[in-house]
Amino acid sequence: MVVVTLALPRPRRRGRRRHPARRDRRALRGRRRRQCRASPAHQGVLPRPRWDHDRPVSRAPLAVAAFLPPLVAVPVADAAGWRFSLGHLGRLRAVGDHPLGLRSSRAERAGARRADAAATASGAPAPVDIDEPAPRVLGRLPRLPLAWALAVTFAISSASVYALFAWLPAILVEHAGVSHAAAGALLSLFGAMGLPWSILVPIVLTRWRRVGVLYAVALVAGLAGVAGMVFAPTAATVLWVVLLGTPQGLFSAVLVLIQLRARTHEGAVALSGFTQSVGYAIGALFPLSFGILHEATNGWPPTLLLLGILFLATIPAGIIVARPHTIEDEWERRHGAW
């Protein structure tokens, strides 16, 4: 029976019919591929910026350095003294920074040479760095609410991080009643909160565009952490520290939103410079304000309430940034052509 079945002639298969929607998608992909190949950037007419392949490698030690020193500083000091602890951390930094910087600089020079050689061999112009924005573009940003909203967001993140890195151990020891070693471990936990947010926030923004959700999470978590540390510091100290570290996600959010809220290269570069300059300037003043307020009131609750007021600034900033528009769109709507 099997032999007879195999001996029978097989029917001729006709061409498989494709669904119209699938054919349209394939045609659209082919059209886009041809347009990309015919574009000036693909043919080497436009300069291509260099991509730093070692940037993730250099960020990992910096992220680890945010929570590792507070974790080991107090135990080392208890065992060998504060002088040895500080000197030991300084030696670790010197040993770690030198090979990393040497490797990064060598890799950058090697990558630049390879890119220049490839461009010369193909007849295309050599890669160039992105030019600085024109002064007229920088002068427009102070008149745009979107630029100020991003700057305020960056200031909230940097100011809270700088102030808590400087004063959180003292707050935990004097106000929450923990030991010095526990305060160092909790400060390490606070610094470690930046690691997961630096991974999750870009995904949330680029894939799902949930800008308002990020601002809401940072606001609620920050206010809850301040309230818990003021009214019940000993009830759930670890939870309050985790909540206070959650607004660090705004730092990564601003770095992504600078690209999403600018339509041109010069606009993105100008927006980055404006946002970080204003944000870091405010953030640098906040630890000093923390100390002055603590000395004036002789207590930590008023100082923590100042941090809560800072977190409330995410409400107007989030309302403006959550709108899907760019600085170029905002300028054209208010003042005319960009």
Side-chain angles (χ1 to χ4, degrees):
M1 184 69 179
V2 176
V3 176
V4 174
T5 304
L6 294 176
L8 292 177
R10 295 182 180 181
R12 182 177 300 176
R13 296 181 60 182
R14 297 182 179 179
R16 186 174 57 181
R17 295 182 179 180
R18 299 184 181 274
H19 194 273
R22 184 177 299 178
R23 289 199 305 268
D24 295 342
R25 287 195 298 268
R26 290 174 62 87
L28 180 60
R29 286 196 297 266
R31 191 180 309 115
R32 289 177 177 175
R33 193 178 298 111
R34 290 190 296 270
Q35 292 175 355
C36 179
R37 292 173 180 173
S39 63
H42 189 274
Q43 296 176 357
V45 177
L46 298 179
R48 300 178 184 177
R50 294 187 181 121
W51 178 260
D52 190 0
H53 297 280
D54 293 324
R55 190 69 56 83
V57 178
S58 62
R59 285 177 181 175
L62 295 177
V64 174
F67 68 89
L68 186 59
L71 186 63
V72 301
V74 176
V76 173
D78 292 339
W82 281 108
R83 293 183 178 178
F84 180 82
S85 178
L86 293 176
H88 180 66
L89 294 177
R91 286 192 296 270
L92 287 178
R93 178 177 179 180
V95 171
D97 287 349
H98 179 68
L100 181 62
L102 185 62
R103 179 187 182 279
S104 179
S105 60
R106 286 180 177 176
E108 288 179 359
R109 289 194 298 267
R113 287 194 297 268
R114 288 194 300 268
D116 294 340
T120 304
S122 61
V128 295
D129 296 329
I130 298 176
D131 295 332
E132 296 181 359
R136 61 180 180 83
V137 178
L138 293 173
R140 294 172 179 176
L141 295 183
R143 291 183 280 177
L144 298 177
L146 178 57
W148 281 107
L150 289 173
V152 169
T153 304
F154 200 86
I156 294 170
S157 175
S158 59
S160 62
V161 169
Y162 293 164
L164 289 175
F165 262 116
W167 295 107
L168 184 59
I171 295 173
L172 293 172
V173 172
E174 300 176 8
H175 187 62
V178 304
S179 63
H180 290 85
L186 290 173
L187 182 62
S188 176
L189 175 63
F190 174 80
M193 289 300 299
L195 289 176
W197 291 118
S198 63
I199 299 173
L200 296 176
V201 168
I203 297 175
V204 173
L205 289 179
T206 55
R207 293 189 179 182
W208 300 314
R209 308 283 177 164
R210 301 295 185 180
V211 180
V213 174
L214 289 176
Y215 275 83
V217 169
L219 173 64
V220 173
L223 293 179
V226 170
M229 194 63 72
V230 170
F231 299 108
T234 60
T237 308
V238 176
L239 177 61
W240 308 144
V241 172
V242 170
L243 292 175
L244 288 174
T246 301
Q248 295 184 46
L250 294 177
F251 179 84
S252 301
V254 172
L255 297 182
V256 177
L257 288 170
I258 287 173
Q259 307 297 324
L260 297 178
R261 293 298 182 261
R263 203 174 58 208
T264 61
H265 286 293
E266 62 175 3
V269 174
L271 184 59
S272 176
F274 178 80
T275 299
Q276 297 188 57
S277 299
V278 175
Y280 280 130
I282 299 175
L285 297 175
F286 216 74
L288 179 61
S289 304
F290 243 58
I292 293 175
L293 184 59
H294 173 64
E295 291 293 330
T297 59
N298 197 21
W300 290 112
T303 309
L304 291 170
L305 292 178
L306 176 63
L307 187 64
I309 295 174
L310 176 71
F311 289 144
L312 288 176
T314 57
I315 297 176
I319 293 175
I320 296 174
V321 176
R323 300 169 185 169
H325 65 294
T326 63
I327 56 173
E328 292 86 358
D329 298 335
E330 197 170 69
W331 177 269
E332 291 172 353
R333 187 173 61 252
R334 291 170 174 267
H335 306 284
W338 174 259

